[in-house]
Amino acid sequence: MTEIAGRGDPIVAQPGHVEYTRLDLEGLHCSSCAPTVERVLRRVPGVRTVAVSVGTGETRVAHDPDIASIEQLCATVEAAGYGVASVNGSPRTDGDVGPAAREPAKSTSRDTDQETEAHRREYRRLMRKFWFAALVSIPVLLVAYPEISWLYLPNLFVDSSSERLIWTLFALSGVAALPVLVYSGRQFFVGAWAAFRHQSADMNTLIALGTSAAWLYSTAALLLPGLFPEGTAEPFYDVATVVTALVVLGQALEVRAKGQTSQAIRKLIGLQARTARIVRDGGEVEVPVEDVQEGDIVVVRPGEKVPVDGIIVEGRSALDESMITGESLPVDKAVGDEVVGATMNTTGSFKFKVTRVGKDTALAQIVRMVQDAMGSKAPIARLVDVVSGYFVPAVMIIAILTFLAWFNFGPAPAIAFAVVTAVTVLII
C-alpha cells in the first residue's frame, strides 16, 4: 500500500513511482476554470490524480515523473491559458523549472514571501487594468442614455442635444471602449481562446462573448441602423466597459484575498527559530536551524525558542506551549520529556537530543495541514465546480435557441430581432 507523507511534498511512493507536485497557478479566477485545468492535466499520460483549488490558486498533481515530467505539466497548464508562478514553492521564471522545483517542497518564509510578492504584483496589475476601465467607463456611461436627462452629460452644457451630437458621442464611446477590451479585458479573450482550443468553455468565454458582442452590436447599430428594427438600434458601449471593469475588480480582490492566506502561512513559519546552539567537539556552536540534524544535542537558554523537536537529556525548565496546545500556563519539562520546535523556553536551561527536523517537525506538519486545508475542496465546492462547468455552455445554448426561436417565429425583420435577443441573453 502506498503511503503519502504529505500531499504538498513531491515524494516517490512505492509501488508505482508516484510523485506529488504542487503548482501555483496564475489567472485562475473562476470556479469553472478548475474543471478545465483538471481535465487537461488528466489527459497527460502518467498523471494519476489532480486537485485544483480556485481559492488558493494551487494545483496538486500525482504523476509518474518518468512519463509526465514537471515541465510537461507546466506546458499543459500554459497551453490551457493559465500561468505557472511556482513549482513546489520554487519560483518559475521564463518557463524554466529549476532544480529546486524537483526537491521536496519545504514551507519556508522565503518561499511564502515570494508567493506573497507574486500576489501583490498580480493585484497591482489587475488594479491598473481596473482603474483604466473605470476611468473610461465613467464618461462612456454619462453619454450612453440621451433619454435620461439627469444622467446625460451634454445636458449640463446645451439645452437640447442634436442627433449629430448624440451620434458623435456614441462614436467616441466606441473608440474609447475598444482599448478597454484590448487592455483591461485581454485575459478574458486569451482564456476564451485557450478554452475553445480544448473544446471547453468557462467564465472567460462568457465574458469575452458578452463584451465583444456588446461592442460589435453597438458598432453595427451605430453604422448600419437600418438593419435593426425600430427602437433597437441603440448602442450600449457602456455595457462592455462597465462589465469589464467590475469583473477585473472582482479578480483583483480575489488575488488580494489569496495573498492574505499566504501571509497567514508566513506568520506560522515565522514562529520557528532562525538559529540553534548545538554541541560540537565539546563546545557550543550557533548554526542556522536548517543545518541541524537528527541526533544533534541542542542547548536552549532562558527566553529562547526551541528550534526543532526533540527529547530533553539534561536540565529542566518550563515551556510556553500555547502555540501548540493553547495552554496559557508554562508546562514543566524534565529529562525524558519531549519538546516541540517553536515553543518558548521561560526559566531554566536544558539540552535536548534532536528527533525531528525540517518538514517532519510539528510546526512543519501544522503548516502543511493549513496548506492542505486551504487547497482542499468541501463537497459544496466540488458541486459548484460541476455546476459552473455546465453553466457557461447552458447560457450559450440558450442564446442560440433564443436566436432560432425569434428567427423562425418572430415578427419581421426576424433576423434583426433574433440578433438583438441573442445578444441580450449573452450580455445579461
Side-chain angles (χ1 to χ4, degrees), residues 323-348:
M323 58 85 60
I324 296 291
T325 64
E327 174 60 51
S328 60
L329 297 178
V331 179
D332 292 331
K333 297 289 183 178
V335 174
D337 291 337
E338 291 188 0
V339 293
V340 179
T343 56
M344 180 66 70
N345 183 30
T346 58
T347 56

Side-chain angles (χ1 to χ4, degrees), residues 23-374:
L23 307 176
D24 294 312
L25 305 189
E26 294 177 337
L28 202 68
H29 297 297
C30 62
S31 296
S32 58
C33 299
T36 301
V37 175
E38 291 178 351
R39 183 166 54 252
V40 297
L41 283 175
R42 287 195 182 104
R43 292 175 183 172
V44 177
V47 171
R48 306 292 181 84
T49 61
V50 181
V52 179
S53 172
V54 177
T56 61
E58 185 178 281
T59 299
R60 299 173 183 270
V61 186
H63 61 104
D64 186 339
D66 296 330
I67 303 175
S69 65
I70 293 178
E71 291 85 352
Q72 188 175 0
L73 298 179
C74 294
T76 301
V77 171
E78 290 172 343
Y82 304 95
V84 181
S86 64
V87 179
N88 297 324
S90 176
R92 182 171 181 266
T93 57
D94 299 328
D96 178 60
V97 180
R102 300 179 178 85
E103 297 293 331
K106 299 178 182 179
S107 298
T108 66
S109 180
R110 179 183 176 184
D111 292 340
T112 310
D113 287 343
Q114 290 170 339
E115 290 181 11
T116 302
E117 182 58 31
H119 286 134
R120 288 174 180 169
R121 286 196 302 269
E122 187 175 4
Y123 174 73
R124 289 194 293 266
R125 179 180 63 85
L126 290 173
M127 286 304 297
R128 284 195 298 269
K129 292 188 173 186
F130 162 72
W131 284 118
F132 178 77
L135 291 175
V136 173
S137 297
I138 292 173
V140 170
L141 185 63
L142 291 177
V143 299
Y145 302 99
E147 66 277 8
I148 305 178
S149 58
W150 61 269
L151 181 63
Y152 197 57
L153 182 63
N155 288 340
L156 296 177
F157 308 99
V158 296
D159 294 333
S160 61
S161 301
S162 64
E163 292 294 329
R164 183 168 183 79
L165 176 61
I166 294 175
W167 189 94
T168 302
L169 292 176
F170 275 137
L172 292 176
S173 297
V175 173
L178 191 57
V180 172
L181 299 181
V182 174
Y183 172 65
S184 299
R186 178 180 180 275
Q187 64 271 22
F188 304 134
F189 294 93
V190 172
W193 174 247
F196 175 76
R197 287 190 301 154
H198 289 85
Q199 297 84 46
S200 62
D202 55 19
M203 291 304 294
N204 289 323
T205 306
L206 195 57
I207 295 168
L209 278 177
T211 55
S212 59
W215 192 90
L216 292 173
Y217 174 86
S218 300
T219 303
L222 191 65
L223 299 178
L224 303 169
L227 297 179
F228 297 86
E230 184 178 355
T232 62
E234 295 185 3
F236 39 88
Y237 291 111
D238 57 304
V239 172
T241 58
V242 171
V243 168
T244 300
L246 292 178
V247 175
V248 171
L249 176 61
Q251 291 181 343
L253 296 177
E254 182 182 3
V255 169
R256 188 176 68 172
K258 291 179 183 178
Q260 291 173 347
T261 62
S262 297
Q263 290 178 8
I265 296 176
R266 182 177 60 183
K267 289 179 180 179
L268 277 176
I269 297 173
L271 296 174
Q272 186 180 34
R274 296 289 183 263
T275 60
R277 189 177 294 104
I278 64 176
V279 177
R280 285 184 181 172
D281 300 327
E284 296 180 4
V285 181
E286 189 168 329
V287 299
V289 70
E290 292 82 5
D291 295 340
V292 178
Q293 300 177 0
E294 291 186 19
D296 284 342
I297 302 298
V298 179
V299 180
V300 182
R301 295 174 179 172
E304 295 180 344
K305 283 185 177 181
V306 179
V308 292
D309 299 357
I311 298 177
I312 296 179
V313 296
E314 181 182 328
R316 59 183 303 118
S317 183
L319 299 185
D320 180 0
E321 296 184 335
S322 57
M323 58 85 60
I324 296 291
T325 64
E327 174 60 51
S328 60
L329 297 178
V331 179
D332 292 331
K333 297 289 183 178
V335 174
D337 291 337
E338 291 188 0
V339 293
V340 179
T343 56
M344 180 66 70
N345 183 30
T346 58
T347 56
S349 61
F350 59 91
K351 295 180 181 179
F352 71 93
K353 183 179 181 180
V354 177
T355 57
R356 290 187 294 271
V357 297
K359 64 184 180 65
D360 296 324
T361 62
L363 179 62
Q365 293 177 22
I366 292 173
V367 172
R368 184 164 60 245
M369 285 189 291
V370 172
Q371 291 175 328
D372 288 346
M374 291 192 300

Side-chain angles (χ1 to χ4, degrees), residues 10-24:
I11 58 175
V12 176
Q14 297 294 337
H17 195 55
V18 177
E19 191 173 274
Y20 296 83
T21 299
R22 176 168 60 90
L23 307 176
D24 294 312

